[in-house]
Amino acid sequence: MLAAGGLIGAVSSVVGIGGGSMTVPLLVWRGVVPVRAVGTSSACGVAIGLASAAGYALHAPAGALPEHAIGYVYLPAAIGIALASVLAAPWGTRLAHRLAGPQLKQVFAIFLALVGLSLLLGG
């Protein structure tokens, strides 16, 4: 699990995601109830996001981005994403608890398929 966590953290930081798309399937495969896997993944995403942002902020050359940026972290975008996440989290929690385990797995699979399709289409 330590190796899987390290790999998920590394890949997540490189591609700019919180890691849920990899953490949830791993936890469900290991027998964790889907609702708990989503919650655990969200908590892991906070640690992954903070560590990634710190790395990108501290290891960029001066002037890498325009004004209002620290290293590679553009602060207006980071604040917007953080606010949207905080506002959407209660809705996501309610939705995850309303869906049965198999339904939650299906919703997550559809989400991953849409993300994959978006990547294939260059979006």
Side-chain angles (χ1 to χ4, degrees), residues 39-67:
T40 302
S41 172
S42 296
C44 292
V46 172
I48 291 170
L50 290 174
S52 299
Y56 281 110
L58 298 173
H59 292 96
L65 284 177
E67 188 177 358

Side-chain angles (χ1 to χ4, degrees), residues 14-120:
V14 170
V15 298
I17 59 173
S21 56
M22 294 176 281
T23 304
V24 171
L26 173 69
L27 292 175
V28 169
W29 177 67
R30 299 286 295 159
V32 177
V33 177
V35 171
R36 188 167 300 259
V38 169
T40 302
S41 172
S42 296
C44 292
V46 172
I48 291 170
L50 290 174
S52 299
Y56 281 110
L58 298 173
H59 292 96
L65 284 177
E67 188 177 358
H68 306 298
I70 299 174
Y72 290 117
V73 179
Y74 186 58
L75 294 177
I79 291 168
I81 291 169
L83 287 175
S85 297
V86 168
L87 294 174
W91 178 75
T93 301
R94 284 193 300 274
L95 180 63
H97 281 88
R98 281 192 193 136
L99 297 174
Q103 288 176 313
L104 190 56
K105 285 181 184 180
Q106 288 175 340
V107 168
F108 199 75
I110 291 168
F111 167 74
L112 290 177
L114 290 173
V115 170
L117 183 62
S118 173
L119 290 171
L120 286 173

